[in-house]
Amino acid sequence: MRFIETKKLNDYILSTGDFLRCTTEDFSAKLSSLESVSLQSVSLEHDRSFLKELSSVLNVIVSIIYHPHIANKREEVIIRIEQAQQIGQEAFLNTVKDSKLWKEHNVRMVPEEVYYYQHIDELRIYENRFIAFLIDLIDKELAKFSNFYLSKLPTLTSLSNTLDSREIGEVIVEIDRLRRKTQFIQNTFFYKETSKGKPISRKIQPTNILLKDRLYRYCFKFYKNFMRYEDVNDTKHDLRTYYMILLFKELLAQGFRIQSASEKKYVFENGEFTLTLTPEVGEALALQILCHRFPTTPARHLLGFHVETEKAIGSASGEERKNYEGCEMLSLWELCYADVPNAAATLKTDTEEALIRSWLSDKLSLVATDRYIYQKYCPVCRSRGVDNTEGVYSCPACDSRYMFDHSNEDTVAWFRKIRKKGIS
């Protein structure tokens, strides 16, 4: 999670005040008074603005490349006397002192070679090395942006009849343009010369050139602001609160009623289910589902949160999951199963509201079905050999779990846990 997302999240949590400590009586009223905020929209808008800023910085860098600061370096060399147009007093005295340069010629001692001071334009000064360092930093950041937004680009699925990239497509096009520009810069003599050798420290020293030259100062100021995005504290607690508020809103929208509310437990009920939500240590959220058709066998699920999707994948340990039937992870952008071997293949990308709705609906699925065939074949993956333990059917292939209610003429299955091979 980047700086702008974290800041907006923190601002939003502060705006909710002590909502999670409210009583059962005023829970619904306080919840409805909370505004809805999409961190994804905030992030997308910020990224578009940030890419414009990157474009300006790259334009400034191109200007620097054409007119860079250089250092005039004096270097002492020994050259043949006919190559020296003129020598200064210091070079002359050094030549007189060095007998190896003198040879006898017609009974006279004359120098065949002389000391000479040549002046060289030095491009690899500290400030230009900083520009090369900044180019590399921008290139890496654009690569991250590209990977991130390409993972959000809609792809064809069996259920889709349209492919609308919306603003994401525009962002990807702009990222590609900027990456081509950085590649052009990296092919210049300036970059190849100044990027040689060991890179400079990330703690940039504010030299006179970086502070006073208009172009260099622009790049230095950008770099100082850019570094803030790497110093973001862990905000999993705020992210959990954010998603809990979205979940509460979704439950009320689906007809659930709040039965009790405290900081440690929230109980919701409708005609079919009773849900008990408990914030856990480690910034996770425990959910117990009691289906009224099966009053003695509640299902327990764990929802973890992480600010970075890459770290969210597989971050719930076996010890954390052992007391739960299912375990999933939520980041700002994605939902995935955390209790399967290949969690990355189960990533689902959607809006925050859609992600929390999807997570909830999978656990409240009541489907009219044919009991006799699905006692043998898994209704999720079609695998044969379903296990039955005290009325809970488990698929050994995908680990989906379900129960049958055949008290009426039509058999209804409650899916306690759904594990599709890919949910994206």
Side-chain angles (χ1 to χ4, degrees):
M1 186 179 264
R2 289 162 295 184
F3 174 81
I4 189 65
E5 296 161 358
T6 305
K7 184 178 184 304
K8 187 63 178 180
L9 174 60
N10 291 340
D11 291 344
Y12 177 72
I13 297 303
L14 288 174
S15 73
T16 65
D18 59 351
F19 165 73
L20 293 183
R21 298 186 181 90
C22 67
T23 62
T24 305
E25 290 73 21
D26 60 2
F27 180 89
S28 297
K30 283 194 172 183
L31 179 62
S32 61
S33 68
L34 296 179
E35 66 170 327
S36 297
V37 172
S38 172
L39 297 181
Q40 290 184 7
S41 297
V42 171
S43 176
L44 182 61
E45 185 60 33
H46 170 266
D47 286 351
R48 291 167 69 96
S49 175
F50 182 67
L51 291 174
K52 289 182 180 178
E53 190 174 2
L54 281 183
S55 180
S56 298
V57 171
L58 290 176
N59 287 337
V60 170
I61 289 176
V62 170
S63 298
I64 290 174
I65 288 174
Y66 285 118
H67 302 285
H69 273 269
I70 57 176
N72 196 258
K73 179 180 177 183
R74 192 178 78 155
E75 183 178 53
E76 184 181 63
V77 295
I78 298 175
I79 62 175
R80 293 191 60 82
I81 190 169
E82 59 268 20
Q83 294 178 309
Q85 297 179 358
Q86 61 180 14
I87 60 174
Q89 183 178 2
E90 185 181 356
F92 173 74
L93 292 176
N94 288 339
T95 301
V96 171
K97 294 174 183 178
D98 194 342
S99 60
K100 297 190 300 295
L101 305 181
W102 295 76
K103 300 293 181 182
E104 185 177 355
H105 184 71
N106 294 332
V107 196
R108 296 175 56 197
M109 296 295 293
V110 296
E112 289 189 336
E113 296 176 309
V114 294
Y115 280 91
Y116 184 77
Y117 290 103
Q118 61 181 4
H119 294 270
I120 302 173
D121 289 337
E122 175 62 40
L123 186 61
R124 270 190 96 249
I125 61 174
Y126 178 77
E127 292 80 3
N128 291 337
R129 292 174 64 201
F130 160 69
I131 296 299
F133 166 77
L134 182 59
I135 293 167
D136 289 338
L137 205 63
I138 291 174
D139 185 54
K140 291 176 182 177
E141 190 68 13
L142 286 172
K144 292 179 184 177
F145 268 67
S146 180
N147 291 335
F148 176 78
Y149 278 102
L150 282 174
S151 70
K152 307 296 174 285
L153 193 64
T155 55
L156 189 66
T157 67
S158 59
L159 300 178
S160 63
N161 55 13
T162 182
L163 289 175
D164 183 9
S165 66
R166 293 173 293 179
E167 293 178 298
I168 288 179
E170 297 175 6
V171 172
I172 291 174
V173 170
E174 177 63 11
I175 292 170
D176 288 344
R177 185 185 72 83
L178 294 178
R179 294 193 75 183
R180 289 194 299 270
K181 197 161 192 174
T182 58
Q183 290 169 5
F184 163 77
I185 292 173
Q186 288 173 331
N187 283 324
T188 62
F189 173 78
F190 174 93
Y191 173 82
K192 292 178 180 178
E193 186 67 22
T194 56
S195 62
K196 290 179 180 177
K198 185 179 179 180
I200 61 176
S201 168
R202 298 176 74 89
K203 189 175 182 179
I204 304 300
Q205 302 301 317
T207 66
N208 284 336
I209 293 177
L210 293 180
L211 293 176
K212 296 181 179 180
D213 183 281
R214 180 177 59 86
L215 299 179
Y216 286 82
R217 184 176 67 246
Y218 187 95
C219 295
F220 181 55
K221 183 178 179 181
F222 168 81
Y223 175 74
K224 288 196 300 182
N225 290 331
F226 176 81
M227 289 302 292
R228 293 185 304 165
Y229 298 96
E230 297 185 353
D231 298 328
V232 177
N233 294 323
D234 190 355
T235 56
K236 288 191 288 184
H237 179 82
D238 285 350
L239 189 63
R240 181 180 69 181
T241 302
Y242 172 72
Y243 269 118
M244 284 176 64
I245 291 172
L246 292 182
L247 177 59
F248 294 157
K249 286 178 176 285
E250 180 62 27
L251 287 170
L252 294 186
Q254 290 192 19
F256 280 85
R257 299 176 300 278
I258 182 71
Q259 298 299 306
S260 64
S262 69
E263 195 174 356
K264 297 182 179 179
K265 184 188 293 186
Y266 304 85
V267 180
F268 292 82
E269 187 270 336
N270 70 359
E272 291 283 1
F273 298 96
T274 297
L275 308 184
T276 303
L277 293 143
T278 309
E280 296 287 322
V281 176
E283 316 308 342
L285 182 65
L287 169 65
Q288 178 176 288
I289 306 175
L290 179 65
C291 182
H292 299 166
R293 298 169 186 258
F294 312 96
T296 60
T297 53
R300 300 187 74 229
H301 294 269
L302 184 69
L303 181 62
F305 302 89
H306 213 294
V307 295
E308 296 182 46
T309 305
E310 298 84 358
K311 294 180 181 178
I313 296 175
S315 62
S317 66
E319 188 66 24
E320 291 178 296
R321 301 195 301 254
K322 68 179 183 180
N323 296 322
Y324 298 92
E325 202 156 352
C327 181
E328 284 129 312
M329 296 295 298
L330 255 178
S331 70
L332 177 60
W333 291 86
E334 286 148 330
L335 169 71
C336 73
Y337 303 143
D339 52 4
V340 297
N342 187 15
T346 68
L347 281 175
K348 177 182 179 67
T349 300
D350 215 321
T351 64
E352 302 99 315
E353 292 87 352
L355 290 174
I356 204 71
R357 187 180 304 120
S358 174
W359 176 79
L360 180 64
S361 63
D362 276 358
K363 293 151 189 63
L364 306 179
S365 295
L366 291 171
V367 180
T369 187
D370 184 344
R371 174 188 176 195
Y372 298 101
I373 188 67
Y374 291 120
Q375 285 178 330
K376 298 179 180 180
Y377 292 89
C378 174
V380 178
C381 71
R382 306 188 187 95
S383 296
R384 184 184 174 90
V386 175
D387 298 327
N388 179 8
T389 304
E390 298 180 353
V392 178
Y393 291 82
S394 303
C395 174
C398 71
D399 200 30
S400 295
R401 300 179 189 182
Y402 50 97
M403 302 179 74
F404 293 108
D405 172 30
H406 47 86
S407 57
N408 299 318
E409 291 185 6
D410 296 327
T411 299
V412 174
W414 170 38
F415 287 87
R416 301 166 58 93
K417 176 183 177 182
I418 298 176
R419 285 294 175 263
K420 302 172 185 176
K421 292 183 179 179
I423 62 174
S424 58

